[in-house]
Amino acid sequence: MATAPPLEFLPPRLDGRVLAVGRLVLPLWLRWRCRIDTVEVDGMASLVEAMRSFQARESRLLLAFRHPSLDDPLSMAQLLWVELAQAGRQQGLRFDPAPTGQFLFDRGIPLWAGAAMGWLFTHLGGASIQRSKLDLPALRTARRLLLEGPHPFALAPEGATNGHNELLSPLEPGTAQLAFWTAADLAAAGRRERMDLLPIGLQYSYIEPIWGAIEALLCRLEEGAGLSPDPGHDRAPTQLLERLVRLGERMLEQMEAFYRDKVHLCLPDGEAPLAETASPPFGPRLQRLMDLALRRVELSFGLHPSGSLTDRCRRLEQAGWDRLYPAPPANAAPLSPLAQGLADRLAAETEAQLWHMRVVESFVAVSGSYVRERPSQERFADTLLLLWDTQCRIQGQTANQRPRLGRLRARISIDAPIVVDERMVDYRRDRRQAVQALTEELALRLQRLIVPSTLG
């Protein structure tokens, strides 16, 4: 693998023609590609009023949405382009311009999904951001759009998908910080608009029972892990849970053996079997293995372990990008063939090291308790798809084409807005504490919007 030019910032290039085509294609794409048949919205009155206030120049609006799935951008588009527009018409409101949102997207998406996806996102009003560094062009753009943009701005405060419909990842402070910056910018400009932060929950459930599809995917994953599938007529959650536990245990054992015997990480020789312990060791064992795998990559990159596993993955990703897409020194002479060869070798070794990080990203969200606590078909599906992602990564395959286990219902829940201006006194007194408090309030609001899946 050879080094490549630096990753440039992708600015928003909102194009009304692309937006118009998107509005036409979206309903078909949701049903055909995402298999989302229905979108149910709870709390639409809150969004209608927030949009009315925004377009009347009474407020600026930041939409903070949960991010459990790669389908979330499409669900948010359906909410703004279709559901909100219809709800407005029913109340005699004509939104002008037609509702849409501008947003930030991970700069890595065009790398794994293709340059066409980056083009589409920017022409729908998005701007790229490199999440693990101070990306000043992205932050300046977001701040400008929040203050002056013709549309609301949307962010996922979790920062990335976690694959769990019923678990909220720790929120990043950037959403709260942007909201405070905008409130301060409005005050500094002498403008009277308030700054509204609107929590939006996203969640997916299956319209029909999918236990047969769950068992079929479980069989595929068992075969992938070298287990003999044990399909049967009994698809009771208790039986499937035993097989899921066995699969997770087998995958963990094989990964432990790989890192202990082939990569030579210092792992203990053995653990009690998962199913025979009162307190399942799967979670702690997985966390320990992921920690050691990341330490190996951090050592090769010259980084010190710090923060959560997710934080460390993002920092490693950024360090890898800095190697793979290096910024050339000013007035640098062209590299000699020998120097170029060494640079290409470094790029190849970097990509190999990032493989470990990507496996951790896929496997780290798996826990030994998520399904056990509530053995619903949605939680089974969440966990099996994460294990499918992990097996794909380990086998060097792309995880872009996930299995679709059944027709889905998207549930969008909208809370009342958080008025950021009411917290500005606290922000001026102690900015860090105010950002933390707003982040905690947003997390509490988003957590309350999660509806437990039904059993049976």
Side-chain angles (χ1 to χ4, degrees):
M1 179 174 182
T3 55
L7 290 177
E8 75 281 5
F9 170 63
L10 302 178
R13 295 184 172 91
L14 183 59
D15 188 321
R17 294 166 298 180
V18 177
L19 192 57
V21 173
R23 293 180 193 275
L24 292 174
V25 171
L26 177 64
L28 296 176
W29 190 260
L30 281 173
R31 289 177 174 81
W32 172 67
R33 180 64 184 88
C34 303
R35 305 190 76 183
I36 297 174
D37 284 351
T38 62
V39 176
E40 298 177 354
V41 183
D42 182 29
M44 176 58 82
S46 181
L47 181 57
V48 169
E49 173 56 24
M51 179 60 80
R52 184 209 63 77
S53 176
F54 174 83
Q55 293 200 343
R57 299 185 180 275
E58 298 171 1
S59 68
R60 304 301 296 174
L61 182 57
L62 175 55
L63 309 175
F65 63 93
R66 277 201 65 221
H67 200 7
S69 168
L70 292 176
D71 294 332
D72 298 336
L74 295 169
S75 296
M76 285 295 294
Q78 174 73 13
L79 173 65
L80 297 176
W81 296 354
V82 179
E83 308 296 333
L84 175 57
Q86 291 177 353
R89 287 194 295 270
Q90 290 171 1
Q91 298 186 28
L93 296 174
R94 178 178 174 82
F95 294 121
D96 186 19
T100 189
Q102 296 193 257
F103 53 94
L104 293 177
F105 66 91
D106 179 16
R107 183 60 181 84
I109 290 176
L111 300 181
W112 59 262
M117 189 62 67
W119 182 93
L120 177 62
F121 278 5
T122 57
H123 284 74
L124 289 175
S128 70
I129 185 169
Q130 296 187 43
R131 298 174 301 179
S132 298
K133 73 172 189 177
L134 185 62
D135 192 338
L136 291 178
L139 293 176
R140 292 189 187 110
T141 298
R143 192 168 176 174
R144 174 178 58 80
L145 290 173
L146 270 166
L147 184 64
E148 303 288 356
H151 305 288
F153 200 78
L155 285 175
E158 292 168 279
T161 61
N162 69 3
H164 290 86
N165 273 284
E166 298 176 51
L167 285 182
L168 181 71
S169 294
L171 303 194
E172 298 179 350
T175 300
Q177 182 62 77
L178 280 169
F180 276 123
W181 278 343
T182 304
D185 290 342
L186 289 168
R191 290 167 55 176
R192 301 179 63 85
E193 298 109 306
R194 67 180 183 273
M195 180 62 224
D196 286 346
L197 176 61
L198 190 64
I200 299 177
L202 292 176
Q203 199 169 343
Y204 303 89
S205 60
Y206 291 94
I207 295 174
E208 301 289 343
I210 58 161
W211 294 109
I214 286 173
E215 185 179 41
L217 179 56
L218 182 55
C219 287
R220 287 174 58 188
L221 294 173
E222 287 171 331
E223 291 175 349
L227 292 171
S228 297
D230 186 25
H233 298 294
D234 187 358
R235 293 173 179 167
T238 53
Q239 299 297 321
L240 294 174
L241 179 58
E242 290 179 5
R243 292 171 60 189
L244 179 62
V245 168
R246 182 181 70 148
L247 171 64
E249 178 77 3
R250 180 57 176 268
M251 289 178 62
L252 182 55
E253 287 174 353
Q254 291 185 347
M255 293 175 68
E256 285 176 332
F258 169 74
Y259 278 104
R260 181 181 60 244
D261 302 335
K262 305 301 181 182
V263 183
H264 306 296
L265 296 182
C266 295
L267 293 174
D269 289 334
E271 296 279 355
L274 178 64
E276 297 178 8
T277 60
S279 178
F282 183 90
R285 283 173 61 190
L286 177 61
Q287 293 295 306
R288 182 200 61 207
L289 178 64
M290 301 295 97
D291 171 67
L292 291 174
L294 290 184
R295 284 178 183 271
R296 180 188 188 279
V297 187
E298 286 162 341
L299 179 62
S300 70
F301 283 8
L303 297 176
H304 179 72
S306 177
S308 68
L309 293 177
T310 300
D311 293 336
R312 291 163 65 186
C313 283
R314 291 182 183 173
R315 197 159 50 246
L316 284 169
E317 180 182 61
Q318 186 63 53
W321 286 356
D322 291 342
R323 287 185 176 188
L324 294 169
Y325 310 97
N331 302 319
L335 293 179
S336 68
L338 178 59
Q340 184 63 57
L342 291 171
D344 293 345
R345 171 53 53 189
L346 177 63
E349 293 190 2
T350 297
E351 189 62 39
Q353 293 292 332
L354 288 178
W355 176 88
H356 299 276
M357 181 274 293
R358 294 189 179 106
V359 170
V360 170
E361 277 189 320
S362 297
F363 208 17
V364 71
V366 177
S367 75
S369 59
Y370 181 64
V371 179
R372 191 184 300 274
E373 291 171 354
R374 191 172 189 83
S376 65
Q377 62 179 12
E378 281 74 22
R379 291 200 178 198
F380 268 102
D382 288 347
T383 301
L384 286 171
L385 290 171
L386 288 170
L387 293 177
W388 186 86
D389 290 345
T390 304
Q391 287 198 9
C392 284
R393 290 282 176 85
I394 291 174
Q395 296 171 45
Q397 300 170 0
T398 177
N400 295 348
Q401 300 296 324
R402 271 183 154 201
R404 296 284 180 171
L405 301 181
R407 312 301 300 186
L408 288 165
R409 175 190 300 107
R411 184 179 187 275
I412 306 177
S413 305
I414 305 166
D415 204 347
I418 302 172
V419 181
V420 179
D421 306 67
E422 297 173 353
R423 299 168 177 261
M424 287 303 293
V425 172
D426 294 335
Y427 180 71
R428 295 186 181 99
R429 184 186 306 118
D430 187 334
R431 295 187 177 188
R432 179 173 296 183
Q433 179 60 35
V435 168
Q436 180 180 343
L438 180 53
T439 301
E440 291 173 354
E441 174 66 18
L442 179 58
L444 179 64
R445 299 278 198 101
L446 291 173
Q447 182 65 46
R448 289 200 304 238
L449 294 176
I450 296 175
V451 177
S453 52
T454 57
L455 299 175

